[in-house]
Amino acid sequence: MNSPTAQAPATFNDPEPIDVVHVGLGPIGRQVLAFMSGRERYRSAGGADINPALVGLPLNEILGERVVADDARVVETIEELGQAKPGAVAVHCAGSSLERVAPSLRALIEAGFHTVSTCEELSDPWRTQPKLAAELDAAARAADVVVLGTGVNPGYSMDYLPVVLAASQRSVRAVNVHRVQDAGLRRLPLQRKVGAGITVDEFTQRVHEGTIRHMGLGESAWLIDRALNLGCTDVVETIDPVVAEVPVPLGDGTIEPGRVLGIDQLVLGKRDGATVIRLHLQMAVGLADPRDVVALDGEPGLETVTRGLHGDSATAAVVVNSLGRVRTAPPGLRTVDEIPASPLNL
Amino acid sequence: MNSPTAQAPATFNDPEPIDVVHVGLGPIGRQVLAFMSGRERYRSAGGADINPALVGLPLNEILGERVVADDARVVETIEELGQAKPGAVAVHCAGSSLERVAPSLRALIEAGFHTVSTCEELSDPWRTQPKLAAELDAAARAADVVVLGTGVNPGYSMDYLPVVLAASQRSVRAVNVHRVQDAGLRRLPLQRKVGAGITVDEFTQRVHEGTIRHMGLGESAWLIDRALNLGCTDVVETIDPVVAEVPVPLGDGTIEPGRVLGIDQLVLGKRDGATVIRLHLQMAVGLADPRDVVALDGEPGLETVTRGLHGDSATAAVVVNSLGRVRTAPPGLRTVDEIPASPLNL
């Protein structure tokens, strides 16, 4: 952490920009890259993506606008990015499954990068994947770097925000979060991910296969549980379809009645059978009044309604706003309750 | 900061409770003392108050219930509390004016206590009282302790919360906060402080004398300014009465039409004439729908409405929830954007 002074904080006088490398240049990775352009403290120094169409391109060409130094280009592997300069941070937007992205995280740690990742399962893997969490934590400590999984959800709206709000309470008995997102306003891959337009049978089948599911909701529950000492013994999840009752427009077409609009996902954190955490996520085309509601059952209790936490944009913002504190936190695998995003240009 | 592990965080296994001393045992200090009873990590080890009626009393007798070890008693001066045990924290609820409480803060620093204070002007004195801020910062660093000014307002609802919410934004152009509190639900000293029941002339006179004013609002503006890099060049404040239009019940009596119900206070943070921060506080008897609204004008922008941030109770909660991180933060005078309150039993 930087110390405030009566004049400007020391960071603003620091002349050397910090290197940021962009690992994974899909929709979210690109949005992070675009958001970086306003941050003078940082320099997008390179990118890595397995997509052959991107390898060799200047970062500028990917966005179609000049946002970074001309010499920054996309390479194929993390190894080609070379050893990290002191304090350099990798933005890692390469997948939701921790097991699948673990090799790239290991490579970034080994190369000496602090890493901010949008991998949903990295947001709090201590209970869900304890062995992998402990391994990454040990590697990060050994390499003297910080690894953080974050984004808007998980990472902010359904976990960090309730924890922040709980600080105003004498005690909290139970946490109730309801996030409503209009998938019609989101990018196409997300609409596909929530099953927009498919039949209910296909939805059921794909839930069974594990290809329709918002990832990270269980991790959010465990994060809240640990941060608030709620004593969860079990976290259970159900996924149901939101079904069209009338024709719902989407892009150039229409989703007919009876077809799926999106997901209705519920995660319950239980302590000896009693529900102490309830995370309810609805992401579907055409949902009215997108919002985030946090209700704390506590002493004295509280309810907060937020409008404007858009998924993609807020994820990129939270990632960019996490770069500063990631560089100065104690090394290891960290969680958002330990390293809050800060808009300060740290 | 403590590192999470797959098992319980290390702090929970730490056998020695941390000493907390309570300096100032007025309404807020007492509420903090009461809230401490649920925190096994801490031990209320003593109190200090200049009120002769309290000196010598066991802490338990002050609350009329057994909350602390029998031997903890109230002394008159900070010096009588003795040298702090390692990691001990002082809760300091002794006044709003930094200049007036500075001697007691110096004494606590000198005795080696980390200090969490509800002194409103301590919440961010870097711009408003830079010399005193720098002096306290240097003293705290030299003594290897942390000093933090916090509470619900300033410290949470009108500064920390907007900063937290801003982390979800690509950029923030302006911050708009509106806090509405029904003073009829608050303690009597607060009702007096906002002028409930007096005439408009008396109100104007007392504003002029400086005895009617919610303190800390300017500090909140400077904190937001620094945390979000808004580039404020000036902060201006106005205070108007909220006047009864119909008879308004209060306690056993009534406030007649034409009399004052409370304050309507506005702080504007200006950058070269343009308003980039607007903090609007209404605290008056009978105000409908008490709430905290944070609206961020930014990319993409956001609005949050919170109901339940009650002044006294939330201040005590924020203070108690700040004890953990105050003990582990880098030494010096700190602000709530650096040391967020955490409900974790750290």
Side-chain angles (χ1 to χ4, degrees):
Chain A
M1 265 180 275
N2 296 281
S3 73
T5 70
Q7 281 76 45
T11 42
F12 299 169
N13 304 323
D14 196 318
E16 272 299 302
I18 309 287
D19 274 5
V20 175
V21 297
H22 301 265
V23 177
L25 286 160
I28 299 290
R30 288 174 199 213
Q31 196 150 14
V32 170
L33 185 59
F35 280 23
M36 292 292 296
S37 62
R39 307 294 168 122
E40 291 170 17
R41 187 86 188 86
Y42 296 94
R43 186 175 72 112
S44 289
D49 200 296
I50 51 169
N51 180 353
L54 297 180
V55 176
L57 286 184
L59 284 180
N60 284 327
E61 278 189 30
I62 288 174
L63 287 180
E65 54 177 321
R66 184 188 161 85
V67 291
V68 298
D70 281 335
D71 58 341
R73 283 175 184 271
V74 181
V75 295
E76 189 183 355
T77 68
I78 288 164
E79 287 70 21
E80 290 170 75
L81 290 169
Q83 206 59 23
K85 287 193 191 165
V89 187
V91 170
H92 176 267
C93 305
S96 304
S97 156
L98 181 55
E99 210 175 315
R100 285 182 63 176
V101 303
S104 58
L105 292 173
R106 284 187 200 107
L108 288 168
I109 292 168
E110 214 161 287
F113 288 100
H114 300 296
T115 300
V116 180
S117 174
T118 57
C119 170
E120 285 90 339
E121 289 187 350
L122 184 66
S123 65
D124 196 333
W126 293 102
R127 287 295 288 264
T128 50
Q129 301 179 63
K131 221 175 127 184
L132 197 42
E135 184 221 304
L136 291 170
D137 182 49
R141 285 168 194 258
D144 202 22
V145 297
V146 170
V147 175
L148 175 72
T150 191
V152 72
N153 179 28
Y156 192 87
S157 62
M158 299 186 81
D159 37 33
Y160 174 58
L161 214 46
V163 170
V164 163
L165 292 165
S168 70
Q169 303 291 300
R170 178 178 186 170
S171 62
V172 174
R173 284 179 295 271
V175 174
N176 206 319
V177 185
H178 185 197
R179 177 166 169 84
V180 179
Q181 285 270 292
D182 178 358
L185 305 174
R186 299 285 299 271
R187 64 200 148 87
L188 194 62
L190 185 115
Q191 290 163 7
R192 290 211 184 103
K193 199 178 80 171
V194 302
I198 66 177
T199 65
V200 171
D201 280 352
E202 199 181 337
F203 184 94
T204 309
Q205 177 62 24
R206 287 187 51 197
V207 168
H208 185 72
E209 288 164 1
T211 58
I212 284 190
R213 176 176 172 240
H214 176 79
M215 294 180 77
L217 215 50
E219 281 78 4
S220 290
W222 285 118
L223 189 144
I224 291 172
D225 172 59
R226 194 186 62 245
L228 306 189
N229 295 332
L230 293 174
C232 273
T233 45
D234 198 16
V235 165
V236 294
E237 185 169 70
T238 53
I239 304 172
D240 290 304
V242 178
V243 180
E245 294 178 7
V246 295
V248 176
L250 175 64
D252 297 335
T254 301
I255 299 179
E256 297 300 331
R259 293 248 166 181
V260 171
L261 296 171
I263 61 168
D264 186 308
Q265 192 166 333
L266 188 65
V267 157
L268 301 179
K270 304 270 195 177
R271 186 184 59 220
D272 306 327
T275 297
V276 291
I277 300 171
R278 187 178 198 277
L279 306 182
H280 184 198
L281 174 65
Q282 293 176 297
M283 284 201 293
V285 174
L287 283 185
D289 193 15
R291 65 198 184 278
D292 287 87
V293 182
V294 178
L296 301 178
D297 171 14
E299 198 174 340
L302 168 150
E303 186 178 273
T304 291
V305 182
T306 303
R307 290 182 175 85
L309 284 177
H310 296 295
D312 301 344
S313 147
T315 287
V318 168
V319 165
V320 171
N321 286 324
S322 296
L323 296 176
R325 288 197 168 146
V326 157
R327 294 186 298 111
T328 52
L333 171 60
R334 301 283 160 194
T335 49
V336 290
D337 55 320
E338 296 181 296
I339 306 185
S342 164
L344 184 55
N345 197 12
L346 289 171
Chain B
M1 265 179 274
N2 294 283
S3 71
T5 70
Q7 282 76 45
T11 42
F12 298 169
N13 304 322
D14 196 317
E16 271 299 303
I18 309 287
D19 273 6
V20 175
V21 297
H22 301 263
V23 177
L25 287 160
I28 299 291
R30 288 173 198 214
Q31 196 151 14
V32 170
L33 185 60
F35 280 23
M36 293 291 297
S37 60
R39 309 292 169 123
E40 291 171 18
R41 185 88 188 85
Y42 297 93
R43 186 175 72 111
S44 289
D49 201 296
I50 51 169
N51 180 352
L54 297 180
V55 175
L57 285 185
L59 284 180
N60 285 328
E61 278 189 33
I62 288 175
L63 289 180
E65 52 178 323
R66 184 188 162 85
V67 291
V68 298
D70 281 334
D71 57 345
R73 285 177 182 269
V74 181
V75 295
E76 189 183 354
T77 67
I78 289 164
E79 287 68 23
E80 291 171 76
L81 291 169
Q83 206 60 24
K85 288 194 190 166
V89 188
V91 170
H92 176 266
C93 305
S96 305
S97 156
L98 181 55
E99 209 176 316
R100 285 182 64 177
V101 303
S104 58
L105 292 173
R106 285 188 201 106
L108 288 168
I109 292 169
E110 213 161 289
F113 288 100
H114 300 297
T115 300
V116 180
S117 174
T118 57
C119 171
E120 285 90 339
E121 289 187 348
L122 185 65
S123 65
D124 195 334
W126 293 102
R127 288 295 289 263
T128 49
Q129 300 179 62
K131 220 175 127 182
L132 197 42
E135 184 223 305
L136 291 170
D137 183 49
R141 285 169 194 258
D144 202 22
V145 297
V146 170
V147 175
L148 175 72
T150 193
V152 73
N153 180 28
Y156 192 88
S157 63
M158 298 187 81
D159 38 32
Y160 174 59
L161 212 46
V163 170
V164 163
L165 292 165
S168 71
Q169 303 290 300
R170 177 178 188 172
S171 61
V172 174
R173 285 179 294 270
V175 175
N176 207 320
V177 185
H178 186 196
R179 179 166 167 84
V180 179
Q181 286 271 294
D182 179 358
L185 306 173
R186 300 285 299 272
R187 65 201 148 86
L188 193 63
L190 184 115
Q191 291 162 8
R192 290 210 184 105
K193 200 178 77 171
V194 301
I198 66 177
T199 67
V200 172
D201 280 351
E202 199 181 340
F203 185 93
T204 308
Q205 177 62 25
R206 286 188 51 197
V207 168
H208 185 73
E209 289 164 1
T211 57
I212 284 191
R213 176 175 171 241
H214 176 77
M215 292 181 78
L217 216 49
E219 282 76 5
S220 290
W222 286 117
L223 189 143
I224 291 172
D225 172 60
R226 194 185 61 242
L228 306 189
N229 295 330
L230 293 175
C232 274
T233 46
D234 199 15
V235 165
V236 294
E237 185 168 71
T238 53
I239 305 171
D240 290 304
V242 178
V243 180
E245 294 177 7
V246 295
V248 175
L250 174 65
D252 298 334
T254 302
I255 299 179
E256 296 301 330
R259 292 249 166 180
V260 171
L261 296 171
I263 61 168
D264 186 308
Q265 192 166 335
L266 188 64
V267 157
L268 301 179
K270 303 271 194 175
R271 187 184 58 221
D272 305 327
T275 298
V276 291
I277 300 170
R278 188 179 198 278
L279 306 181
H280 185 197
L281 173 65
Q282 293 176 298
M283 284 202 293
V285 174
L287 283 185
D289 193 15
R291 65 197 183 279
D292 287 88
V293 182
V294 178
L296 301 178
D297 170 15
E299 200 174 342
L302 168 149
E303 188 178 275
T304 291
V305 182
T306 303
R307 290 183 174 84
L309 284 178
H310 296 296
D312 300 344
S313 146
T315 286
V318 167
V319 164
V320 171
N321 286 325
S322 296
L323 297 176
R325 289 196 168 145
V326 157
R327 294 186 299 111
T328 53
L333 171 61
R334 300 284 161 194
T335 49
V336 290
D337 54 322
E338 297 181 294
I339 307 185
S342 164
L344 183 55
N345 198 12
L346 289 170

